[in-house]
Amino acid sequence: MTQEISTTLDVGTTAEMTNFSTLGLHPSVLAAITAVGYEEPSPIQTKSIPLIMAGHDMIGQAQTGTGKTAAFALPILSRIDASRREAQVLVLAPTRELALQVATAFESFAAQMPSVNVVAIYGGAPMGPQLKAIRNGAQVIVATPGRLVDHLSRNGGLLSTVKFLVLDEADEMLKLGFMDDLEVIFNAMPDERQTVLFSATLPASIRGIAEKHLRNPQHVKIASKTQTVARIEQAHLMVHADQKINAVLRLLEVEDFDAMIGFVRTKQATLDIAAALEAKGYKVAALNGDIAQNQRERVIDSLKDGRLNIVIATDVAARGLDVPRITHVFNIDMPYDPESYVHRIGRTGRAGRDGRALLLVTPRERRMLQVIERVTGQKVAEISLPDAKVILQARIRRLTQDLAPRVKDKENKNPELLAHLTTELNCSVEDLALALLAKTTEGQAFTLAGVEREQPVLAPRSRDDRAERGSRPARDGGRDSGSRERREPLALSEGKVRCRTALGTRDGIAARNLLGAILNEGGLTRDAIGRIQIRESFSLVELPEEGLERLLGKLKDTRVGGKALKLRRYRED
Ligand code: AMP
């Protein structure tokens, strides 16, 4: 299979409008997309879906955040034979986290296909249930290469019925040292198959794999024309997906905005965020594709004249929205590509005014941020979550601004009423002022302790990317599917012990950094490493008990993020 990599299709963005229903997807898949709340395909989906539907091999150059999972999952699910209870799809992913996410995404897109089953195969969990799920006829296998090779060594015919192979985050798989495992897997696959490779970068090693194992692949990538972004101050905040609403609430406290448009990806998110903001007293509305045209116009008019200050919208619903009052664009969900980012933030800074653009970035979307910075030629400054002190200062500043003109205003004063109230209540002017302050600030704390009490604790999470997919819970109670394993608390795996490092989130460490360092310097395979838990001031990693001292010796001088790893065995008692 040595053919040249052929045509390159650059994915243009906002100009083209496609609808999911025009892409030839299976009706059950279309119904699931509607249920998940996607309104329109992302650029990478618009290009990839027809190619995969037409049976082409494909190389997709796209990173997390572009919608790449759905770009391959939707057409593949549309093409499998759900009546055959045998493995038909194999997706290879570099890490357990990604394998679980992809499995969950497949499950949500197959929600209307009751006979389709999905199994996630990864290290650190018992092999028995995984094998059983394959034997029971799961059509979709999502696996990390290391563990799949273990299965193949016991049952070489496991993949003999697979017709679709996806290599997801291929560059990451090679970085993690899975090259040899990939070769074993290719050799265990039928030649007659369709292969799709997704990778953020295309180094020579990936091109080599493509030349050897893909047939006349079509090449799809996100075009990244340089874009100009004028007069817009840009900032980003790193946040976990499930902490977004809280982050939005806190940032709005300290941002001085006139009107704001917040962008999210799904209809449900427009409703959830608008509801959370409304509960805090903001004048906000949701705009999504389900909202009737006349209602949409009412919302836009209200934003123009100040009856509303915030609109939370999907890209589709915000098309053509042009309101000069908008001072802030808030990218609550990452746009699919830099062009769409530039398009979104162009909603502010109108009429020669300065604008501000905020962006929430989940750990897995870091790379997308880098692409945006590269394409726009501008840095998007990192900001941190405002703490209670900053929020309190902002509240006091706003209250002061609000009261200043009233204090100066000579006309609208009522000294008779003041005299009447102080007499009636038998109190001083100061007591009365304090009572009135308490009344006007009702529902909002104005002391440090009070503001602290209001804020939910943002616990750093152990997995760096869990809740990122907008997917639904497993539809069938899980059976042997990945989603069930994902919900179970993970006890210490057999033969593993916990080790601790004093590096944590406050040192800018994510699970991926620790994993990379331990794999590279410790010479382990991915499956040798169990669960990684990242806390604020320390992290725990499950490592094999056998040979632990030798391994810790090898890692003695390892540095992560510029700091000494100093991994030690951790005893819980
Ligand atoms: P991915 O690039 O596959 O990691 O996807 C990133 C996120 O985008 C996930 O939360 C998906 O659920 C979401 N997503 C993917 N495609 C769409 C779409 N067409 N509309 C809305 N959200 C999407």
Side-chain angles (χ1 to χ4, degrees), residues 20 33 36-42 44-45 62-72 74 98 101 105 109 168-169 264-267 333-334 336 364-365 467-471:
F20 275 115
I33 297 170
V36 176
Y38 294 176
E39 293 198 315
E40 60 167 0
S42 70
I44 197 86
Q45 292 163 2
Q63 57 273 320
T64 302
T66 52
K68 68 179 168 64
T69 316
F72 61 78
L74 300 175
L98 186 64
Q101 285 188 3
F109 300 140
D168 195 8
E169 298 195 1
V264 292
R265 287 195 168 181
T266 62
K267 291 174 197 168
D333 285 339
M334 183 65 100
Y336 297 117
R364 294 186 49 79
E365 291 166 346
E468 252 174 59
R469 313 272 138 168
S471 6

Side-chain angles (χ1 to χ4, degrees), residues 281-298:
Y282 290 103
K283 293 189 276 179
V284 54
L287 261 195
N288 62 49
D290 281 351
I291 288 171
Q293 186 55 23
N294 54 352
Q295 168 69 5
R296 179 176 186 272
E297 275 157 24
R298 267 203 300 278

Side-chain angles (χ1 to χ4, degrees), residues 184-197:
V184 173
I185 295 166
F186 282 126
N187 288 334
M189 303 267 313
D191 279 347
E192 263 323 297
R193 60 160 200 265
Q194 186 177 353
T195 308
V196 173
L197 181 154

